[in-house]
Amino acid sequence: RKEVEQDPGPFNVPEGATVAFNCTYSNSASQSFFWYRQDCRKEPKLLMSVYSSGNEDGRFTAQLNRASQYISLLIRDSKLSDSATYLCVGSSGGSYIPTFGRGTSLIVHP
Amino acid sequence: NAGVTQTPKFRVLKTGQSMTLLCAQDMNHEYMYWYRQDPGMGLRLIHYSVGEGTTAKGEVPDGYNVSRLKKQNFLLGLESAAPSQTSVYFCASSSVRELFFGEGSRLTVL
């Protein structure tokens, strides 16, 4: 079982929709969590960090639930340009060794 | 700003040939990583380094070697390439939090 699990999708939603992704992690020692975005055949880029108190950046909201060991990403008012793969990343304390989920594909259509 | 630069970007090898992928970063980061990305598998860590002169194995190290003789460079070597090593390779560097990726190196082993 991978340390970080994601539903690969694809999530196919119309413009303007709200969509949510979840990611579960198995290592309870994991301390830091992030969401990365990866466009087709491009390198991943940081979308946002995930804090226990939640984190909001415009249309994007990320949350961490340590009790249930999952993190979430909510995208409101989806745009065509949001179409991409969203990667969940966790890392344990000590050495910073990030572990990636397999990614969730989002397709936003007109 | 260059950030993280990978060379070469594309390469075709025959089984048994050797090659080296070069990663260079200009952000003075301590941490550097090599990942491979295959369809449906997400990013898997091959080797990583927590500082100049150090290297460690990741999730899928077999068939690869690495060196970090200079802080800014992290080399990934394939001594005897196999078709199973056909993949997209990403180098990344980090100061602790955010990972910065190179554009990727697409390797095909025939």
Side-chain angles (χ1 to χ4, degrees), chain B residues 38-54:
Chain B
D38 303 293
M41 298 298 293
L43 283 153
R44 292 183 292 169
L45 183 63
I46 304 171
H47 286 278
Y48 64 96
S49 168
V50 300
E52 180 178 312
T54 75

mmCIF file of all heavy atoms in Angstrom, chain B residues 38-54:
data_model
loop_
_atom_site.group_PDB
_atom_site.id
_atom_site.type_symbol
_atom_site.label_atom_id
_atom_site.label_comp_id
_atom_site.label_asym_id
_atom_site.label_seq_id
_atom_site.Cartn_x
_atom_site.Cartn_y
_atom_site.Cartn_z
ATOM 1 N N ASP B 38 6.056 7.362 -14.060
ATOM 2 C CA ASP B 38 5.515 6.445 -15.046
ATOM 3 C C ASP B 38 3.992 6.544 -15.021
ATOM 4 O O ASP B 38 3.409 6.861 -13.978
ATOM 5 C CB ASP B 38 5.949 5.017 -14.725
ATOM 6 C CG ASP B 38 7.467 4.889 -14.659
ATOM 7 O OD1 ASP B 38 8.087 5.045 -15.711
ATOM 8 O OD2 ASP B 38 8.009 4.687 -13.562
ATOM 9 N N PRO B 39 3.341 6.251 -16.133
ATOM 10 C CA PRO B 39 1.875 6.364 -16.195
ATOM 11 C C PRO B 39 1.202 5.558 -15.083
ATOM 12 O O PRO B 39 1.500 4.380 -14.898
ATOM 13 C CB PRO B 39 1.547 5.791 -17.576
ATOM 14 C CG PRO B 39 2.781 6.041 -18.377
ATOM 15 C CD PRO B 39 3.921 5.865 -17.422
ATOM 16 N N GLY B 40 0.317 6.223 -14.347
ATOM 17 C CA GLY B 40 -0.432 5.542 -13.295
ATOM 18 C C GLY B 40 0.334 5.282 -12.023
ATOM 19 O O GLY B 40 -0.221 4.746 -11.060
ATOM 20 N N MET B 41 1.614 5.649 -12.000
ATOM 21 C CA MET B 41 2.446 5.341 -10.820
ATOM 22 C C MET B 41 2.802 6.575 -10.020
ATOM 23 O O MET B 41 3.366 6.490 -8.937
ATOM 24 C CB MET B 41 3.731 4.637 -11.264
ATOM 25 C CG MET B 41 3.502 3.315 -11.960
ATOM 26 S SD MET B 41 2.702 2.136 -10.877
ATOM 27 C CE MET B 41 3.975 1.857 -9.665
ATOM 28 N N GLY B 42 2.537 7.742 -10.542
ATOM 29 C CA GLY B 42 2.925 8.951 -9.824
ATOM 30 C C GLY B 42 4.427 9.120 -9.808
ATOM 31 O O GLY B 42 5.165 8.480 -10.572
ATOM 32 N N LEU B 43 4.908 9.954 -8.913
ATOM 33 C CA LEU B 43 6.333 10.218 -8.763
ATOM 34 C C LEU B 43 6.916 9.280 -7.715
ATOM 35 O O LEU B 43 6.436 9.234 -6.583
ATOM 36 C CB LEU B 43 6.561 11.667 -8.326
ATOM 37 C CG LEU B 43 6.410 12.713 -9.419
ATOM 38 C CD1 LEU B 43 6.012 14.041 -8.834
ATOM 39 C CD2 LEU B 43 7.699 12.848 -10.195
ATOM 40 N N ARG B 44 7.955 8.556 -8.091
ATOM 41 C CA ARG B 44 8.595 7.647 -7.143
ATOM 42 C C ARG B 44 10.044 8.083 -6.936
ATOM 43 O O ARG B 44 10.761 8.335 -7.900
ATOM 44 C CB ARG B 44 8.526 6.205 -7.661
ATOM 45 C CG ARG B 44 7.111 5.639 -7.681
ATOM 46 C CD ARG B 44 7.099 4.193 -8.122
ATOM 47 N NE ARG B 44 7.469 4.045 -9.521
ATOM 48 C CZ ARG B 44 7.736 2.882 -10.116
ATOM 49 N NH1 ARG B 44 7.683 1.761 -9.415
ATOM 50 N NH2 ARG B 44 8.047 2.840 -11.390
ATOM 51 N N LEU B 45 10.458 8.125 -5.689
ATOM 52 C CA LEU B 45 11.775 8.619 -5.334
ATOM 53 C C LEU B 45 12.832 7.558 -5.616
ATOM 54 O O LEU B 45 12.745 6.430 -5.134
ATOM 55 C CB LEU B 45 11.794 9.011 -3.855
ATOM 56 C CG LEU B 45 13.073 9.627 -3.312
ATOM 57 C CD1 LEU B 45 13.376 10.952 -4.014
ATOM 58 C CD2 LEU B 45 12.954 9.843 -1.803
ATOM 59 N N ILE B 46 13.862 7.940 -6.362
ATOM 60 C CA ILE B 46 14.940 7.014 -6.705
ATOM 61 C C ILE B 46 16.062 7.139 -5.666
ATOM 62 O O ILE B 46 16.411 6.172 -4.981
ATOM 63 C CB ILE B 46 15.497 7.319 -8.109
ATOM 64 C CG1 ILE B 46 14.386 7.290 -9.148
ATOM 65 C CG2 ILE B 46 16.590 6.306 -8.474
ATOM 66 C CD1 ILE B 46 14.827 7.784 -10.518
ATOM 67 N N HIS B 47 16.656 8.314 -5.595
ATOM 68 C CA HIS B 47 17.701 8.625 -4.619
ATOM 69 C C HIS B 47 17.516 10.072 -4.197
ATOM 70 O O HIS B 47 16.899 10.857 -4.911
ATOM 71 C CB HIS B 47 19.095 8.471 -5.225
ATOM 72 C CG HIS B 47 19.553 7.059 -5.422
ATOM 73 N ND1 HIS B 47 20.093 6.298 -4.404
ATOM 74 C CD2 HIS B 47 19.582 6.289 -6.538
ATOM 75 C CE1 HIS B 47 20.428 5.108 -4.886
ATOM 76 N NE2 HIS B 47 20.134 5.074 -6.176
ATOM 77 N N TYR B 48 18.108 10.411 -3.068
ATOM 78 C CA TYR B 48 18.068 11.785 -2.632
ATOM 79 C C TYR B 48 19.369 12.133 -1.899
ATOM 80 O O TYR B 48 20.183 11.256 -1.585
ATOM 81 C CB TYR B 48 16.850 12.061 -1.749
ATOM 82 C CG TYR B 48 16.835 11.300 -0.430
ATOM 83 C CD1 TYR B 48 17.305 11.889 0.743
ATOM 84 C CD2 TYR B 48 16.336 10.003 -0.361
ATOM 85 C CE1 TYR B 48 17.279 11.206 1.947
ATOM 86 C CE2 TYR B 48 16.312 9.302 0.837
ATOM 87 C CZ TYR B 48 16.777 9.911 1.990
ATOM 88 O OH TYR B 48 16.761 9.231 3.178
ATOM 89 N N SER B 49 19.527 13.428 -1.653
ATOM 90 C CA SER B 49 20.718 13.912 -0.967
ATOM 91 C C SER B 49 20.316 15.027 -0.009
ATOM 92 O O SER B 49 19.521 15.902 -0.377
ATOM 93 C CB SER B 49 21.734 14.437 -1.986
ATOM 94 O OG SER B 49 22.768 15.143 -1.342
ATOM 95 N N VAL B 50 20.839 14.978 1.203
ATOM 96 C CA VAL B 50 20.511 16.012 2.188
ATOM 97 C C VAL B 50 21.633 17.025 2.332
ATOM 98 O O VAL B 50 21.583 17.898 3.200
ATOM 99 C CB VAL B 50 20.152 15.397 3.562
ATOM 100 C CG1 VAL B 50 18.944 14.486 3.434
ATOM 101 C CG2 VAL B 50 21.329 14.662 4.154
ATOM 102 N N GLY B 51 22.643 16.915 1.481
ATOM 103 C CA GLY B 51 23.728 17.890 1.501
ATOM 104 C C GLY B 51 24.886 17.404 0.653
ATOM 105 O O GLY B 51 24.950 16.231 0.257
ATOM 106 N N GLU B 52 25.809 18.323 0.403
ATOM 107 C CA GLU B 52 26.982 17.982 -0.410
ATOM 108 C C GLU B 52 27.692 16.770 0.175
ATOM 109 O O GLU B 52 27.905 16.685 1.383
ATOM 110 C CB GLU B 52 27.932 19.179 -0.441
ATOM 111 C CG GLU B 52 29.187 18.974 -1.253
ATOM 112 C CD GLU B 52 30.045 20.231 -1.253
ATOM 113 O OE1 GLU B 52 29.511 21.318 -1.499
ATOM 114 O OE2 GLU B 52 31.254 20.114 -0.984
ATOM 115 N N GLY B 53 28.020 15.826 -0.717
ATOM 116 C CA GLY B 53 28.753 14.639 -0.292
ATOM 117 C C GLY B 53 27.895 13.526 0.284
ATOM 118 O O GLY B 53 28.410 12.475 0.645
ATOM 119 N N THR B 54 26.589 13.740 0.384
ATOM 120 C CA THR B 54 25.697 12.714 0.946
ATOM 121 C C THR B 54 24.719 12.224 -0.098
ATOM 122 O O THR B 54 24.288 12.987 -0.965
ATOM 123 C CB THR B 54 24.872 13.251 2.129
ATOM 124 O OG1 THR B 54 23.831 14.107 1.636
ATOM 125 C CG2 THR B 54 25.740 14.015 3.103
#
